[in-house]
Each structure stands twice: as structure tokens, then as C-alpha cells.
Amino acid sequence: MGTRRIPLPGVGTQYDLTTESGGHLSVVVHHDGRRFLGVYRSDDPDACETVALDPEEATVLAHLIDPARLEGIDTDGLDLVTEHIPVGSRSPYAGRLLGDTRARTRTGASIVAVLRRTSVHPSPGPDFRFALGDTLVAVGTRDGVDALAAIIGGG
């Protein structure tokens, strides 16, 4: 499986997912909250069917895919997003401390948990050391989380 996050200046962010079986999906998240799900044809990678999703529909779809992930958090009317940010091979923070990122000071976004292959580290402190392959769970405004993803990704 491969994932890719692509900033779309003035629009939002595109997230691409290639499955182990070779399927290709994209989600485009606009700054105004609109989302588009794109499904690419395997026989023609340039052909894509898109489905527009309003925020409620996106939430329902996410709940269908993983019901446990969204239980108990209601951000309706708030300018908050939650996003998973991978610590990949290009990240300047693999092997470094969370405090080195100065994430909250620089972006206003908070790293509320770190997912590791075999464990979860909730509320990591500034002395928590990131490892290659970690996934950060970040909460903040869309701009703050996008800025944090760029910092962690080395962009």
C-alpha cells in the first residue's frame, strides 16, 4: 500500500492511496470543507470517476469504513481537523524528539498521539522520540495541520 499527500495551493490537499492489489483512490479536501472521492480505473490510470461529498457524507463514509475512529468527537461548527501524518523516509524528524519540531509554537496544531507498528503513545511529551514509520495524530485548524504535515514531511 502506498499513500501520498499533495498540497493543492489555493484549493486544499489531495490524498492518494494505492492499494496492495493496485487500486488507486484519491480524496481531495478543499479548504472550505468540500471533499471529492476519486476512483481510478485500473485499465486506464487517467480515467477517474469522482463523487462529491459534503462534510456529513464524508463523516458517514469514514464511519462506515472505521466506526470506532469517529466515536465521541463532534467538531460540527468548529474549525478543527484531525489528521494522520506519517513520519516517512524524507522526514527530518525521524529519530528526533517531538520537542525539536516546536510543532504547536510554529503551527498551532497539536500532536495528540503517535501510532507505532505495535503500540500507541497517547499525549506524547516533548521528550518523545519519533521513529521512521510512526504516524502522528494531529489536531488543529486546516492550515495548522497542513503546516505541521509539511514540517514533518520535510516540505
Side-chain angles (χ1 to χ4, degrees):
M1 178 182 81
T3 59
R4 196 170 60 155
R5 181 182 181 285
I6 305 163
L8 303 173
V11 175
T13 307
Q14 179 174 328
Y15 300 90
D16 286 343
L17 169 73
T18 303
T19 66
E20 290 293 330
S21 64
H24 180 191
L25 302 169
S26 287
V27 176
V28 176
V29 179
H30 288 250
H31 292 304
D32 64 7
R34 290 178 301 140
R35 285 158 169 71
F36 291 85
L37 175 65
V39 180
Y40 293 85
R41 290 184 23 197
S42 58
D43 63 334
D44 183 359
D46 293 327
C48 179
E49 294 288 327
T50 60
V51 177
L53 301 170
D54 65 29
E56 182 179 346
E57 293 164 337
T59 299
V60 168
L61 179 60
H63 189 73
L64 291 170
I65 292 170
D66 188 356
R69 192 161 297 213
L70 299 175
E71 300 285 325
I73 298 176
D74 182 7
T75 59
D76 286 350
L78 300 176
D79 184 25
L80 284 179
V81 296
T82 302
E83 188 169 313
H84 289 185
I85 301 171
V87 178
S89 60
R90 293 184 179 173
S91 175
Y93 293 100
R96 291 181 57 194
L97 300 176
L98 183 150
D100 293 344
T101 68
R102 298 181 35 246
R104 198 173 349 192
T105 302
R106 293 170 70 186
T107 68
S110 295
I111 299 169
V112 298
V114 177
L115 310 176
R116 202 163 267 169
R117 181 187 301 236
T118 59
S119 58
V120 176
H121 302 273
S123 302
D127 59 341
F128 182 87
R129 189 171 300 280
F130 295 131
L132 184 63
D134 282 352
T135 299
L136 313 182
V137 180
V139 175
T141 63
R142 172 83 270 151
D143 289 343
V145 170
D146 284 348
L148 178 58
I151 289 167
I152 297 300

